[in-house]
Amino acid sequence: MSHVVIIGCGVVGAAIAYELSLVKGLKITVCDRQPPAQASTGAALGVLMGVISQKIKGKAWQMRQTSIQRYETLIPELEALTGRKIPFNRQGILMLLSDSSLEGMSAWEKLVKIRHSQGWNLEIWDTAKLQNICPQINNEKITGAVYSPQDRQLDPTALTLALVEAAQQNGVTFKFGVTVLDAPTSTPESSLQFCNQLETTEGKIAADWFVIAAGLGSTPLTAKLNQIIDIRPVLGQALQMRVGHPLGNPDFQPAITGNDVHIVPVGGGDYWIGATVEFPHNGDEIPPNQELLESVREQAIAFCPELATASILRTWSGLRPRPEGRPAPVIGKLPGFSNVLLATGHYRNGVLLAPATAYAIREMIISQGMGG
């Protein structure tokens, strides 16, 4: 029996654990120094911008498409297995456009055609249609909108906890509060190194495969293996606001996005508003900038003036893992190693790409022959 150890239990690590738990003949252990969904996952808004993204070909689009399709089956599957409710907004994403330039518009028209040819639906709305369907949006600078009925939004923490519970039911072992101290390696006859075991605060864990899905924690882990994958933090702040009733039509509550600001209905007349994008200035410290959060709130109010009267229930922030000098995410073998896989550095698309990442890791493990 092949033993796979996954390090990191955010949405990506949990998705990998669950997908691998459906494979016969694997023993799976997940370690995290914190409880599940604590870091980037716990702070994410869960807006899954797939069809509406500008990625149209290659791996970037393929992974988005795979994930969007998988979520349609994964959410009901997890809810049935665990009895948990995972908030999953099936009313699509509405992107507000404020640039009426012909180039801007023709780019969207082109994307609508491409998506149509790929079997996906996108609609361009003029201001009259927007006003009619979403009367809460009132801003003279908005020149129309793009509506993506097949994109989704979900609660990343609820999803991660359901993935963990379902994986546990399928026999996966989870160890929380466990820190990796060292990863001794051996170089067999071939030039590729092999990692036999991890030394952790709970003793040694031996395995055939190690999957590093630790977000920002992946950098110190790869440093222990002398193959640093440089992942830097980018801070995001968000807030939860209470209007007390749904904005606009109560029966049509899509996630609304414009100018990189999301207005996400979370039920009960509450909305998540976010998020800032804040880079470190010196070193890795990023103190949350209140002015930037306020400007995100003001931008949301500019789109939906009714938000001006909403009360702020809470604000929060999280660090997104952004790979330095290379595209996100980082998925594949750790250079120089035959049995260490990377599934990290998803930056702002961890929740969106978690199912496709899990599939990719599963394929790598299965295609190598499971050993044991």
Side-chain angles (χ1 to χ4, degrees), residues 127-243:
T127 47
K129 184 166 186 178
L130 179 61
Q131 190 58 49
N132 187 31
I133 299 176
C134 293
Q136 71 268 36
I137 294 163
N138 185 3
N139 181 315
E140 69 280 3
K141 288 188 184 143
I142 292 171
T143 53
V146 179
Y147 178 55
S148 178
Q150 291 156 301
D151 279 326
R152 301 284 181 257
Q153 183 273 333
L154 53 77
D155 183 317
T157 300
L159 167 67
T160 304
L161 296 178
L163 285 164
V164 169
E165 195 175 315
Q168 275 171 329
Q169 286 181 26
N170 291 345
V172 175
T173 304
F174 286 84
K175 295 174 180 282
F176 297 116
V178 174
T179 304
V180 175
L181 303 171
D182 202 14
T185 62
S186 64
T187 309
E189 275 65 76
S190 74
S191 57
L192 281 179
Q193 292 192 75
F194 191 81
C195 180
N196 302 315
Q197 59 184 29
L198 297 180
E199 290 174 11
T200 77
T201 45
E202 279 204 1
K204 295 183 163 74
I205 304 177
D208 305 286
W209 291 96
F210 294 94
V211 181
I212 298 177
L216 287 162
S218 304
T219 299
L221 273 169
T222 55
K224 292 185 201 314
L225 296 163
N226 297 318
Q227 288 289 344
I228 292 195
I229 303 295
D230 189 5
I231 298 172
R232 308 275 176 92
V234 178
L235 185 90
Q237 298 182 77
L239 21 86
Q240 181 163 339
M241 297 179 74
R242 174 158 294 168
V243 184

Side-chain angles (χ1 to χ4, degrees), residues 18-28 362 366 370:
Y18 176 69
E19 292 295 355
L20 288 180
S21 78
L22 304 175
V23 176
K24 293 272 178 286
L26 283 183
K27 179 185 172 203
I28 302 151
R362 188 189 67 184
I366 292 174
M370 310 242 284

